[in-house]
């Protein structure tokens, strides 16, 4: 025990043994919803997940994965991978970025902090650039926060503002980009009426421009850099509304709009980033901002040719990576997610293996560990990343790398070198986001097959499994009325839901190593993802720290 009285040592669980291999499977985007034709999990052949459900209520139950259960501002906020994996790994509910930014804007404290003061230095002679996702999805950013920030910056001396938009269609309906751009244009017109030179300068679809993650494809960041910093893009328009409408008319959807720049009457880009400017990336969520943050902040950078590296003052809405301290300047302090279950378990001798493919690799490592990259103890941990397919939308290959992930997990389990083998299976989520129902059904089947491989390996070593999910997605692919009826668009077609949902997610426990008498308690009906960490610690033979959310299991004699 240190001088502060803190100790990493976990108490022994009074009834549960140590030394069992525990497989922890997170099905990304796998919620529980009404069984109809838009529920791809229901339609797909998923015999393994179906059989686990038969273990209810003792070995299968639902947990909350959205809203306040995962630290989001309201119960209308759907879950997402960041908050879901943070809760799963940390065992407690932290007020998340969305909420912290809301509070900082409402109190005005955002303008008193070191981050805002740092960028403010540029307001007298430079331009303030705001780069981020333009929607009200609430997963990575929110339009109302951008609106408040624009107003606040204008009131505090910003004279020239350029907004570099990324269209969404993934956390919100495809096609909604036009309305968001129109709203922003109206706001900017009001700001201009106050004598501030404010305009949209560039744009592009989030999946094609800027918002890549986990270094899957640096070309995505480069496209953004060229448009935002260099003022160069294959498409040039006089207005952003015109740009989005014209590019959509070519068949591109909101997620994949090609990059464009806004030009003046002489054809010159209206807002490249130059020496003396300030830049803010206004997304609060971390994963898809780390790469652009590196490109804007690092002097030593070899991921693509930046051509021109302006001397700017750059701040993130939040600090996106606590370990890398990236970016160095930020407007709002991120939640301090410390003492995660991963760190505790490593300190208590639990050897851990974690694996996913690139697009979700950081979910079971970085997010799981409280937005911290790297190992706690490389002697005790091994993290394996399987390269994702690059340059395709995942409906083209809906099996993704599920089987490869399961093979790695199987080998790790059978090697008996690890006590915890943790994976994320991305299919339901990544294919669900494409809005392609047929492909999502295939994706769900693939994920189920991967679960089977992992459960079979657990069977062989006498281990324990925990199968759960981080939030819903594939279980509902249609936008619905309040009464649950599918909504039609003006042409009479159903409105495809590409986003996550508000649904709860399943959690199942089992395996030959599960001590007799272990079952889900009945007195945690509101249990959520944050209750899973204590549960897993118990299955490793430990009591959870007293400030963790309570365990979901009990042992009856
Ligand atoms: O970033 C994304 O892909 C979506 O906005 C949210 O999906 P995720 O939370 O499952 O990553
Ligand atoms: Mn997810
Ligand atoms: Mn998702």
């Amino acid at each position: 025990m240190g001088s502060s009285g803190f100790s990493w040592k976990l108490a022994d669980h009074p009834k549960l043994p140590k030394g069992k291999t525990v497989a922890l499977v997170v099905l990304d985007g796998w919620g529980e919803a009404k069984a109809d034709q838009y529920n791809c999990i229901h339609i797909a052949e998923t015999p393994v997940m179906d059989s686990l459900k038969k273990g209810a209520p003792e070995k299968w139950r639902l947990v909350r994965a959205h809203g306040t259960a995962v630290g989001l501002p309201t119960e209308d906020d759907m879950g997402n991978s960041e908050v879901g994996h943070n809760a799963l790994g940390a065992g407690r509910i932290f007020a998340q970025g969305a909420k912290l930014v809301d509070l900082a804007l409402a109190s005005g404290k955002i303008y008193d902090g070191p981050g805002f003061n740092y960028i403010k230095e540029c307001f007298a002679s430079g331009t303030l650039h705001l780069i981020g996702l333009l929607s009200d999805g609430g997963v990575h950013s929110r339009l109302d926060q951008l609106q408040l920030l624009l107003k606040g910056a204008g009131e505090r001396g910003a004279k020239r503002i350029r907004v570099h938009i990324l269209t969404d269609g993934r956390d919100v309906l495809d096609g909604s980009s036009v309305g968001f751009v129109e709203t922003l244009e109206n706001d900017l017109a009001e700001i201009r009426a106050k004598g501030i030179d404010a305009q949209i300068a560039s744009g592009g679809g989030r999946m094609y421009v800027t918002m890549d993650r986990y270094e899957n494809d640096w070309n995505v960041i480069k496209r953004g850099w060229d448009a935002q910093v260099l003022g160069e893009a294959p498409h040039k328009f006089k207005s952003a509304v015109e740009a989005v409408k014209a590019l959509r008319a070519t068949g591109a959807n909101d997620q994949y709009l090609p990059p464009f720049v806004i030009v003046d009457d002489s054809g010159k880009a209206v807002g490249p980033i130059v020496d003396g400017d300030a830049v803010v990336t206004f997304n609060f969520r971390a994963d898809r901002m780390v790469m652009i943050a590196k490109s804007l902040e690092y002097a030593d950078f070899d991921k693509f040719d930046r051509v021109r590296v302006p001397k700017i003052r750059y701040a993130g809405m939040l600090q996106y990576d606590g370990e890398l301290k990236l970016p160095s300047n930020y407007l709002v302090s991120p939640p301090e997610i410390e003492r995660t279950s991963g760190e505790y378990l490593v300190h208590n001798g639990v050897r851990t293996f974690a694996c996913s493919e690139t697009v979700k690799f950081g979910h079971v490592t970085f997010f799981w560990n409280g937005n911290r990259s790297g190992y706690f103890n490389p002697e005790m941990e091994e993290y394996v990343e399987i390269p994702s397919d690059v340059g395709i939308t995942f409906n083209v290959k809906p099996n993704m790398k599920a089987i490869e992930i399961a093979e790695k997990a199987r080998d790790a389990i059978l090697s008996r070198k690890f006590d915890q083998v943790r994976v994320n299976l991305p299919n339901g989520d990544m294919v669900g986001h494409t809005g392609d129902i047929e492909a999502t059904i295939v994706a769900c089947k693939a994920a189920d097959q991967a679960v089977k491989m992992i459960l079979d390996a657990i069977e062989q070593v006498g281990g324990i499994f925990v199968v759960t999910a981080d939030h819903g997605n594939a279980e509902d692919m249609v936008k619905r009325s309040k009464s649950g009826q599918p909504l039609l668009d003006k042409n009479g077609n159903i409105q495809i839901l590409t986003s996550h949902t508000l649904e709860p997610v399943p959690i199942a426990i089992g395996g030959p190593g599960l001590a007799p008498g272990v079952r889900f308690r009945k007195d945690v009906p509101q249990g959520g993802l944050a209750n899973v960490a204590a549960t897993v610690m118990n299955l490793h033979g430990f009591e959870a720290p007293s400030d963790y959310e309570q365990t979901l299991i009990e042992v009856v004699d």
Side-chain angles (χ1 to χ4, degrees), residues 355-401:
C355 174
S356 191
E357 60 171 285
T358 311
V359 291
K360 297 285 181 185
F361 175 67
H363 289 34
V364 273
T365 55
F366 173 78
F367 284 155
W368 193 275
N369 294 333
N371 294 5
R372 182 188 188 284
S373 47
Y375 292 115
F376 296 113
N377 178 351
E379 311 276 297
M380 300 282 295
E381 297 164 276
E382 185 177 338
Y383 297 167
V384 172
E385 174 183 346
I386 296 172
S388 286
D389 291 317
V390 177
I392 58 160
T393 54
F394 287 102
N395 54 334
V396 179
K397 287 192 177 172
N399 292 337
M400 301 183 66
K401 305 294 179 203

Side-chain angles (χ1 to χ4, degrees), residues 26-30 79-82 84-85 213 285 360 363 424 429 433 469-473 500:
V26 180
L27 291 154
D28 213 295
W30 191 285
N80 69 71
S81 292
E82 179 177 53
H85 286 78
R213 64 180 166 207
R285 173 160 150 174
K360 297 285 181 185
H363 289 34
N424 175 299
D429 184 67
H433 279 304
D470 60 341
H471 52 76
N473 184 337
H500 299 169

Side-chain angles (χ1 to χ4, degrees), residues 112-426:
D112 302 332
F116 191 80
N117 279 310
Y118 173 71
I119 56 160
K120 208 167 96 178
E121 295 286 312
C122 302
F123 287 2
S125 51
T127 301
L128 168 64
H129 298 265
L130 300 171
I131 306 175
L133 184 66
L134 184 70
S135 81
D136 62 3
V139 173
H140 294 268
S141 68
R142 278 212 332 263
L143 172 66
D144 60 328
Q145 295 179 347
L146 170 65
Q147 290 170 318
L148 288 171
L149 189 60
L150 277 167
K151 186 166 172 285
E155 285 165 2
R156 286 164 185 81
K159 294 191 177 62
R160 192 166 183 274
I161 302 177
R162 292 293 180 265
V163 188
H164 302 265
I165 62 169
L166 302 165
T167 53
D168 191 343
R170 188 173 178 90
D171 301 325
V172 292
L173 292 189
D174 183 45
S176 58
S177 61
V178 180
F180 289 121
V181 178
E182 284 169 348
T183 304
L184 178 61
E185 286 290 20
N186 288 337
D187 295 333
L188 294 172
E190 278 175 30
I191 293 173
R192 283 196 294 275
K194 292 183 186 138
I196 298 167
D197 170 9
Q199 303 188 49
I200 296 176
S202 77
R206 54 176 285 174
M207 297 301 284
Y208 194 61
V209 178
T210 298
M211 281 176 60
D212 188 37
R213 64 180 166 207
Y214 309 141
E215 311 214 352
N216 193 44
D217 184 0
W218 276 102
N219 286 321
V220 177
I221 314 301
K222 178 178 160 37
R223 285 182 204 110
W225 180 274
D226 290 351
Q228 296 143 4
V229 178
L230 306 180
E232 290 166 9
H235 301 278
K236 298 182 173 54
F237 291 93
K238 290 277 174 54
S239 97
V241 174
E242 190 196 325
V244 171
K245 284 186 178 164
L247 293 172
R248 280 188 58 82
T250 66
N253 64 22
D254 287 353
Q255 296 189 53
Y256 285 90
L257 285 194
F260 61 87
V261 292
I262 304 302
V263 293
D264 61 18
D265 290 340
S266 63
K268 217 172 125 227
V270 300
I273 300 174
V274 299
D275 286 356
D277 287 352
V279 177
V280 171
T281 45
F282 63 82
N283 288 14
F284 43 75
R285 173 160 150 174
D287 56 346
R288 295 190 185 276
M289 287 288 105
V290 166
M291 293 167 78
I292 182 178
K294 287 180 176 169
S295 69
L296 288 166
E297 179 145 319
Y298 286 174
D300 256 348
F301 180 87
D302 59 4
K303 302 300 183 187
F304 58 86
D305 181 5
R306 291 183 290 186
V307 181
R308 179 173 62 75
V309 185
K311 292 187 190 61
I312 56 169
R313 287 185 173 237
Y314 165 51
M317 182 64 103
L318 259 70
Q319 185 167 64
Y320 301 124
D321 188 323
E323 188 69 9
L324 301 177
K325 304 264 178 276
L326 182 79
S328 340
N329 294 284
Y330 45 93
L331 303 187
V332 178
S333 295
E336 277 180 50
I337 308 177
E338 28 59 85
R339 296 187 300 104
T340 59
S341 61
E343 191 162 14
Y344 267 112
L345 289 172
V346 160
H347 278 283
N348 285 273
V350 172
R351 299 159 304 166
T352 304
F353 177 89
C355 174
S356 191
E357 60 171 285
T358 311
V359 291
K360 297 285 181 185
F361 175 67
H363 289 34
V364 273
T365 55
F366 173 78
F367 284 155
W368 193 275
N369 294 333
N371 294 5
R372 182 188 188 284
S373 47
Y375 292 115
F376 296 113
N377 178 351
E379 311 276 297
M380 300 282 295
E381 297 164 276
E382 185 177 338
Y383 297 167
V384 172
E385 174 183 346
I386 296 172
S388 286
D389 291 317
V390 177
I392 58 160
T393 54
F394 287 102
N395 54 334
V396 179
K397 287 192 177 172
N399 292 337
M400 301 183 66
K401 305 294 179 203
I403 298 305
E404 290 85 339
I405 295 167
E407 282 168 354
K408 289 278 186 230
R410 177 198 62 200
D411 294 349
I413 292 166
L414 297 182
S415 77
R416 298 178 192 261
K417 284 200 304 205
F418 301 98
D419 305 294
Q420 181 176 114
V421 172
R422 186 168 79 224
V423 299
N424 175 299
L425 296 170

